[in-house]
Amino acid sequence: MHRIEDALLALLATALVVIAGAQIGARFFIEGSLLWADSLLKSLVLWLVMLGALAAARTDSHLGIDALTHSLGPKGQRMARFAAFSFGALMSLLAAYYGLELVRFERESPSDVHGLLPSWVVLLVIPCAFAGMALRMAHSAVTQPEPK
Amino acid sequence: MMEQLTSLLQSNVVLLLCGVLLILFAAAGAPFFALIAAVAMLGFARAGYDLTGIMVEFNRISEMPVLVAIPLFTIAGYLLAESRTPQRIVRLANAAIGAVPGGLAIVALLACAAFTALTGASGVTIVALGAVLLPALRQGGYDDRFNLGLLTTSGSLGMLFAPALPLIIYGVVAQQLNTNPPVVIQDLFIAGALPGLMMIVALAIYAFIKAPRVPIAERNRFSARELWHAIKDSIWELPLPFVVVAAIVSGKVAPGEIAAVTALYVVFVVLIVRREVKFNELGRVMREAMVLVGAIMTILGMSLALTNMLIDQEIPTKLFEFVQSHIDSKITFLIILNLFLLVFGMLLEGFPAIVILTPLLLPIAIGYGIDPIHFGIIFVANLQIGLFLPPVGMNLFIASMRFKVPITQLIRASVPFFLILLVCTLIITYVPALSLGLLGR
């Protein structure tokens, strides 16, 4: 599962570099623009951000103030960790719920019709990734961090 | 249920309670994106708006053309960090100026600044370059306390140089506020050049003073041959900064396009010409890069919702009126701004500080007649020193892990460097011409 996730990230990131490069090439050398590329690049950025955020939740890499809990004892640190990640999980769950609403709205009245896929399918990554983040953060809330 | 929540949130006691809770969660280390989302949701709910609006705003991260630059520059930076480019930068700079007293230290400054400008995330610089530079400085006879201070400080040097991500992110957030004059990202790049240079020159002078006084025979003498070999060695990396600077100065190329060319070129050089990152390692490097992108851009996405809510509730305007009724001079405002940014730059670690504080502070600054471009440079300059400000600046922790030295020792070592950059930041703050001169404003 982790390997599929990593492979997908690498694939999409490579695609981003190639397509963004191709678009510039098109602008400078054939003085045209690739209409399909524009829409595809936007979708790629969204997917990379969401899958990156999901991967960040796996390794507890989301940014937060972690310096203040250093001075706490082991028990205090466990409690702070539980509070911080439960809160993160709860907000991710809310984001997933409202992300699903967004997908529903988009399906009823699409905002972009130039893409290869219907735009609501592209947006599905938002609720899916946030739901995954909620699960991972809930798991982190009750487990100890891996030694780095 | 939504109406009940809306009416409940009209009460100041309830709002205060929510605020206290959120501060506690923040102190416990809750992710910034979740905290920002919570504030935005409370604001939306209080105004009686549908909370789906939060995600509509969040989705705008995929609709701004400039934001494609963030994943692209991050990919380029992580690949460069994995390759032997850091070693080559150090070799070249050493061959060019290593023979001058303090030359090696100046090499470290220049190499770190160049690397941070290209990679944006300053923690990467300490990790990638520290391992090369620390032994070199020790061998050069520098005092270890000086070395540690220098490298900890250099980890955030270069944030003011194009195409560093902090300037791009500030530009994106500032553009949401529809300022007059508008914030153009290319202008930020040009405005950052002289202030960034001043910081390097100031540190270089200090390095010159602190350099070990060894006879010239024992120092590595200048050798045209070594310089030539070093140039040949870094022939593939050398064009990159020139292309980036030329593209920015021309004003014809968007940041997203500069990023695309940079990323494509770096992938080509590192993977195909140099083969220093193998194809089977690409997955890991890309994943590490995207973890950072995901972490930064979820914060940015939620902050777009927050900014929207703040503007809708006219909070920046109210805040300005409040501040103005207590502080009447621009100078006093700037002093308080400096203190405020230093502390929050330390606590919020760069990127989050930019996305959270810009919507609140920029309208106030404009009210005091500060140019939004100048404000961006003040902001990033303060964040840069906030990053290694004791006791909890992020780079202190990264350097401590990397160099295996206790934090207290790093703090003592960083003090003179901190004071030098503090003076620079004050000059940047009170002399707007330094930032705006090249733009002719």
Side-chain angles (χ1 to χ4, degrees):
Chain A
M1 190 62 195
H2 287 177
R3 285 179 63 180
I4 298 174
E5 194 185 323
D6 290 355
L8 191 59
L9 264 179
L11 191 74
L12 292 178
T14 313
L16 182 77
V17 175
V18 172
I19 294 167
Q23 203 184 24
I24 308 234
R27 200 186 108 177
F28 277 89
F29 297 115
I30 58 174
E31 287 181 18
S33 74
L34 309 171
L35 260 183
W36 56 270
D38 233 24
S39 168
L40 187 58
L41 277 181
K42 286 177 187 170
S43 310
L44 275 175
V45 170
L46 182 67
W47 276 67
L48 281 171
V49 169
M50 293 318 301
L51 293 177
L54 183 62
R58 187 166 105 205
T59 49
D60 297 351
S61 304
H62 275 283
L63 303 173
I65 302 175
D66 49 8
L68 299 180
T69 53
H70 282 311
S71 52
L72 295 176
K75 200 174 169 201
Q77 284 196 3
R78 260 205 307 281
M79 273 167 61
R81 186 177 164 85
F82 179 76
F85 280 100
S86 309
F87 177 75
L90 176 70
M91 294 315 296
S92 300
L93 201 62
L94 283 172
Y97 174 78
Y98 289 106
L100 207 59
E101 290 285 288
L102 176 71
V103 172
R104 215 164 48 85
F105 287 148
E106 185 68 31
R107 204 173 162 183
E108 282 161 15
S109 50
S111 61
D112 181 5
V113 289
H114 298 292
L116 301 171
L117 292 169
S119 52
W120 68 270
V121 177
V122 174
L123 289 187
L124 263 180
V125 74
I126 298 180
C128 292
F130 272 118
M133 285 157 71
L135 283 177
R136 283 184 168 166
M137 287 190 184
H139 178 255
S140 294
V142 291
T143 48
Q144 286 305 299
E146 285 171 29
K148 284 184 180 164
Chain B
M1 192 189 125
M2 199 62 204
E3 287 92 44
Q4 283 157 349
L5 187 62
T6 303
S7 60
L8 192 64
L9 285 170
Q10 305 309 316
S11 143
N12 283 338
V13 180
V14 174
L15 276 185
L16 192 71
L17 206 67
C18 290
V20 171
L21 262 176
L22 286 176
I23 290 171
L24 284 177
F25 279 126
F32 286 122
F33 84 83
L35 293 163
I36 298 171
V39 178
M41 282 185 186
L42 287 173
F44 269 59
R46 183 169 187 263
Y49 297 148
D50 184 352
L51 292 189
T52 311
I54 308 267
M55 301 315 287
V56 173
E57 289 293 317
F58 181 89
N59 185 36
R60 282 175 52 223
I61 52 173
S62 65
E63 279 156 20
M64 294 186 212
V66 59
L67 287 183
V68 74
I70 295 177
L72 288 169
F73 275 131
T74 314
I75 291 170
Y78 271 70
L79 278 175
L80 283 177
E82 286 284 323
S83 74
R84 293 183 55 80
T85 302
Q87 283 89 332
R88 280 190 290 269
I89 298 182
V90 173
R91 181 181 174 192
L92 177 65
N94 199 15
I97 53 169
V100 184
L104 197 58
I106 298 168
V107 165
L109 290 172
L110 291 176
C112 287
F115 203 74
T116 303
L118 265 179
T119 59
S122 54
V124 180
T125 305
I126 295 180
V127 174
L129 282 172
V132 192
L133 289 169
L134 188 59
L137 286 166
R138 277 178 182 157
Q139 209 178 16
Y142 288 84
D143 177 40
D144 222 31
R145 185 165 166 167
F146 172 84
N147 301 340
L148 291 171
L150 180 83
L151 292 178
T152 309
T153 311
S154 303
S156 62
L157 205 63
M159 273 168 71
L160 284 170
F161 291 126
L165 294 182
L167 289 177
I168 297 181
I169 295 194
Y170 169 78
V172 168
V173 179
Q175 280 166 0
Q176 308 307 311
L177 300 164
N178 293 321
T179 57
N180 180 32
V183 175
V184 181
I185 290 174
Q186 280 94 329
D187 287 354
L188 283 169
F189 285 166
I190 294 171
L194 287 183
L197 213 59
M198 177 179 71
M199 287 183 161
I200 292 189
V201 170
L203 290 175
I205 293 172
Y206 180 67
F208 180 77
I209 297 168
K210 294 288 280 187
R213 300 275 169 255
V214 285
I216 188 89
E218 285 174 34
R219 250 196 338 254
N220 46 349
R221 268 188 236 169
F222 177 76
S223 144
R225 211 180 128 91
E226 164 62 10
L227 181 60
W228 173 241
H229 282 298
I231 290 176
K232 271 207 307 201
D233 191 31
S234 32
I235 195 74
W236 286 100
E237 284 88 353
L238 265 181
L240 203 51
F242 294 103
V243 170
V244 170
V245 169
I248 291 161
V249 174
S250 80
K252 285 184 188 133
V253 194
E257 295 178 314
I258 301 173
V261 173
T262 308
L264 198 63
Y265 184 79
V266 168
V267 167
F268 173 71
V269 170
V270 172
L271 243 64
I272 296 169
V273 180
R274 302 267 195 206
R275 299 193 189 167
E276 286 171 343
V277 174
K278 303 278 183 300
F279 276 95
N280 56 17
E281 294 170 308
L282 194 61
R284 176 184 56 84
V285 179
M286 291 287 195
R287 190 184 78 85
E288 283 170 9
M290 287 311 114
V291 162
L292 182 71
V293 170
I296 292 174
M297 285 183 57
T298 38
I299 296 174
L300 187 60
M302 289 303 178
S303 86
L304 291 175
L306 176 70
T307 307
N308 182 295
M309 185 277 282
L310 291 174
I311 295 172
D312 184 76
Q313 305 285 304
E314 298 184 331
I315 289 173
T317 323
K318 288 175 192 160
L319 202 60
F320 172 60
E321 281 162 8
F322 173 78
V323 172
Q324 207 189 21
S325 64
H326 289 82
I327 304 169
D328 37 44
S329 89
K330 183 173 165 180
I331 299 289
T332 323
F333 169 72
L334 283 173
I335 292 170
I336 293 170
L337 181 74
N338 273 324
L339 287 172
F340 187 83
L341 285 178
L342 277 179
V343 171
F344 278 88
M346 172 186 76
L347 278 177
L348 300 180
E349 296 169 7
F351 294 115
I354 297 174
V355 299
I356 297 169
L357 297 179
T358 302
L360 292 172
L361 297 179
L362 179 57
I364 305 180
I366 291 176
Y368 281 99
I370 298 163
D371 188 292
I373 298 284
H374 181 213
F375 179 76
I377 303 301
I378 297 176
F379 203 139
V380 176
N382 276 288
L383 290 188
Q384 187 186 320
I385 47 180
L387 273 176
F388 65 99
L389 182 67
V392 295
M394 180 180 66
N395 279 359
L396 292 171
F397 292 96
I398 296 176
S400 163
M401 273 194 295
R402 181 74 207 181
F403 304 132
K404 302 193 172 57
V405 195
I407 290 204
T408 43
Q409 194 182 337
L410 285 174
I411 291 176
R412 276 196 302 273
S414 305
V415 168
F417 297 91
F418 176 79
L419 291 177
I420 292 170
L421 289 187
L422 185 65
V423 172
C424 290
T425 303
L426 292 177
I427 296 173
I428 290 168
T429 307
Y430 299 104
V431 186
L434 197 63
S435 309
L436 302 176
L438 287 180
L439 292 168
R441 287 197 190 167

